[in-house]
Amino acid sequence: EGKAQNTLLALKKFVQGSATVLREKKILIIPDGEVVPGDILLLQEGERVPADARLIDARSLRMDESMLTGESLSVQKMSGAMPAETLQIQDMRNFVFKGTSVVGGSGRAVAVATGLSTEIGKISKEVASIHEELPLQPRRPTPEMLAYARALLARPAGGQPWHAQERLLAHWMVQ
């Protein structure tokens, strides 16, 4: 549980930053949380991508997508159409993804997804849901559970008082 929470916090810190956008013919630097679908992102070497976006211009653009794909080599990006069957992230050469880094060149892209709708946002949601799926989470015994245990243990085992048996039951339920 602690590892899942730490991973989620690390992902949040990793993807926070600022964005350079073109709005109403003005170049603005805004917090990446203020990027909305439809914004034109200006991408330059050394910057992190603030949203998932479709490239409209790419000049020798290379991206580090290792955080999403595990691929250690940078990926050459291009603007233009891709075949419809290109559904895997690593094959989407005309898209850039939130949290990835520009390692070379420059480009412009139209934001299409922000926040939890991005690929990294989907991963964050999955990591957060791990907490609900952990099989060994401690539970507090409910009054119904204790009543059932009392009925099962009508005669105190070994002469122990009820409160000791309830502690044993609570300990057993956490295991």
Side-chain angles (χ1 to χ4, degrees), residues 8 11-12 14-16 32-38 41 49-54 67-68 89 92 95-100 110-127:
L8 186 58
L11 281 171
K12 284 181 182 178
F14 181 75
V15 296
Q16 290 176 349
D32 69 352
E34 293 179 15
V35 172
V36 295
L41 308 176
V49 179
D52 289 0
R54 170 113 171 26
M67 63 172 290
L68 288 175
I89 291 173
M92 298 176 75
F95 268 79
V96 291
F97 301 97
K98 180 178 174 90
T100 61
V110 178
V112 296
T114 59
L116 294 176
S117 298
T118 62
E119 292 300 321
I120 193 69
K122 293 173 189 174
I123 293 169
S124 295
K125 282 193 282 191
E126 286 183 36
V127 169

Side-chain angles (χ1 to χ4, degrees), residues 1-10 127 130-131 134:
E1 176 182 350
K3 285 184 181 181
Q5 287 175 345
N6 289 341
T7 301
L8 186 58
L9 288 173
V127 169
I130 290 172
H131 172 75
L134 291 176

